[in-house]
Amino acid sequence: MLLAPSILAADLADMKTAAEQCRQGGADFIHVDVMDGHFVPNLTIGVPVVQALAACSEVPLEVHLMVSNPERLLEEYLDAGARWLSVHWEAATHLDRLVGQIQKGGAAAGVALNPATPVEVLQDILPRLDFVLLMSVNPGFAGQAFLPYTLDKARRLRSAIERRQLDVTIAMDGGIGIDNIRQVVASGVEMCVAGSAIFASEDPVATMQELKRRAESELV
Ligand code: DX5
Ligand code: ZN
């Protein structure tokens, strides 16, 4: 199980401390929420901030682009240090081309799906993807409630991946915490993104460790 704390929920004036906490907590990636105020109703982190974070973080960055016209920005985020990079299915006109560009840039390519978008839209492109990021909240903000119906999407995607013997990682993003991470992992998710559950807790490092412990106990 891979854990990717979402930096959006951390103190953005002190990302260096958050990055160090992620290292100490055994995080596999730092999830970076890029929002453009157009595809989603919020504006967050841009290229210079991703560069700054990449420069001070030992933990690799997994960048989630919630932007319209992602083709305009891909190269910049790849250069800024994104090791995994996802674009939204709902924002992409030429998804196959975008996936190829991300992989050519040396990163793992992912497609993010809004809660209401069925996983079946990925049927044909699935073998080309490195990961799928299933949104379990409507993208735009940290700290929202988990939408339980998205677990069924993870189960359907997991069975399609297994049936077709593909090597695609399922990630889930939004509203994941101590109380539901087991359920999330049980539905077939291999990478959990968690923001406020970690950074709004008293001890983010201990919370990361506890999230990993709970997720891994579900797998044994
Ligand atoms: C939502 C973002 C999520 C969010 C996760 O638009 O894509 O990554 O920051 O935060 P929590 O875990 O608080 O829902
Ligand atoms: Zn995200």
Side-chain angles (χ1 to χ4, degrees), residues 6 8 31 33 35 64 66 135 137 139-144 173-175 193-196:
S6 169
L8 183 61
H31 180 89
D33 287 309
M35 305 185 189
H64 175 195
M66 285 160 277
M135 294 308 300
V137 298
F141 305 92
Q144 302 180 82
D173 179 16
V193 176
S196 37

Side-chain angles (χ1 to χ4, degrees), residues 75-209:
E75 302 296 333
E76 286 179 79
Y77 284 100
L78 290 166
D79 291 346
R83 297 268 291 279
W84 283 31
L85 185 60
S86 64
V87 293
H88 265 266
W89 181 85
E90 299 83 1
T93 310
H94 301 290
L95 187 59
D96 181 81
R97 180 181 291 147
L98 293 175
V99 167
Q101 280 173 350
I102 294 170
Q103 289 165 340
K104 213 169 149 208
V111 175
L113 296 182
N114 282 340
T117 305
V119 292
E120 287 73 20
V121 298
L122 299 177
Q123 187 178 345
D124 294 297
I125 200 168
L126 199 55
R128 292 209 55 194
L129 304 182
D130 298 299
F131 71 109
V132 175
L133 183 67
L134 297 175
M135 294 308 300
S136 36
V137 298
N138 287 293
F141 305 92
Q144 302 180 82
F146 184 83
L147 295 169
Y149 75 84
T150 58
L151 291 172
D152 192 53
K153 293 174 64 179
R155 285 190 281 267
R156 287 186 348 252
L157 185 57
R158 160 73 33 222
S159 67
I161 289 169
E162 280 175 9
R163 185 166 28 83
R164 297 167 67 185
Q165 298 184 305
L166 302 175
D167 185 16
V168 184
T169 300
I170 304 180
M172 191 166 257
D173 179 16
I176 298 175
I178 296 283
D179 295 336
N180 63 2
I181 194 163
R182 277 201 182 104
Q183 259 183 300
V184 170
V185 172
S187 72
V189 170
E190 299 155 297
M191 172 151 125
C192 293
V193 176
S196 37
I198 291 171
F199 291 109
S201 73
E202 291 256 307
D203 184 343
V205 173
T207 304
M208 288 179 222
Q209 290 164 345

